[in-house]
Amino acid sequence: PSLLLLAPARGDDDKPADKPDEAHVSTEKEIRHLRQQAELREQQLMMQLAEMKAQRSTRMGPAIRHALAKLSRQSARMKVLIVVSDGTPMDEATAAANGFEYLDDHLFQVVHAIESRSPIQLAAIGIGHDVSRVYSNATKIAKVEQLGPALTQKLIGLLTAD
């Protein structure tokens, strides 16, 4: 199974800083706020992830396109989509009808289109699985307990990137 975390990173009501020093302070406040939110939600996220069961039926490309469409309708100036995955896309009926590589190929197409043409920042975290062959901004972790800190670091990196 995979988990798509979908949230605007910054809303339209957020005003940019007038001076460079204010921008730095604003970014530090955003990072501090992000860390606080991550700590508060890490326990809840871990419980939700613990309830997930592998079902060998994750159609990643369509799931990412769906999340992208929802995120595109948000009014935030900055948008981030982080995919959390424990494996490759798999749907036995689709694979039987179209061949095993069909879902992988489709995922590559969807990710490439987002990374090359979308203003939405895309990143991925693989749990026990290297997702860097698909996503240019990828992180691999060994176990689900590392997900909270990995998500926090990934978000901070995306929010502070130029």
Side-chain angles (χ1 to χ4, degrees), residues 1-6 45-46 48-50 52 58-60 63-64 67 80-89 107 111 122-131 135 137-152 154-155:
S2 297
L3 174 66
L4 297 173
L5 300 176
L6 177 66
L45 175 64
M46 298 310 294
Q48 289 173 339
L49 287 171
M52 292 177 72
T58 305
R59 296 176 60 221
M60 297 288 293
I64 292 170
V80 173
L81 176 62
I82 299 178
V83 177
V84 177
S85 177
D86 69 348
T88 59
L107 176 60
V111 169
L122 179 64
I125 299 174
I127 303 174
H129 175 71
D130 184 8
V131 292
Y135 304 89
N137 185 348
T139 300
K140 179 183 176 185
I141 59 175
K143 51 190 175 182
V144 73
E145 291 80 16
Q146 299 169 315
L147 184 57
L151 280 169
T152 302
K154 186 62 72 181
L155 282 170

Side-chain angles (χ1 to χ4, degrees), residues 31-45 148-149 151-153 155-156:
I31 292 170
R32 201 169 28 255
H33 176 73
L34 177 63
R35 283 191 175 134
Q36 290 170 346
Q37 291 300 313
E39 289 171 6
L40 292 173
R41 295 188 180 159
E42 184 174 348
Q43 183 90 20
Q44 180 183 14
L45 175 64
L151 280 169
T152 302
Q153 287 304 114
L155 282 170
I156 289 169

Side-chain angles (χ1 to χ4, degrees), residues 103-114:
L103 290 172
D104 277 338
D105 292 344
H106 184 254
L107 176 60
F108 278 108
Q109 292 170 3
V110 169
V111 169
H112 176 71
I114 294 168

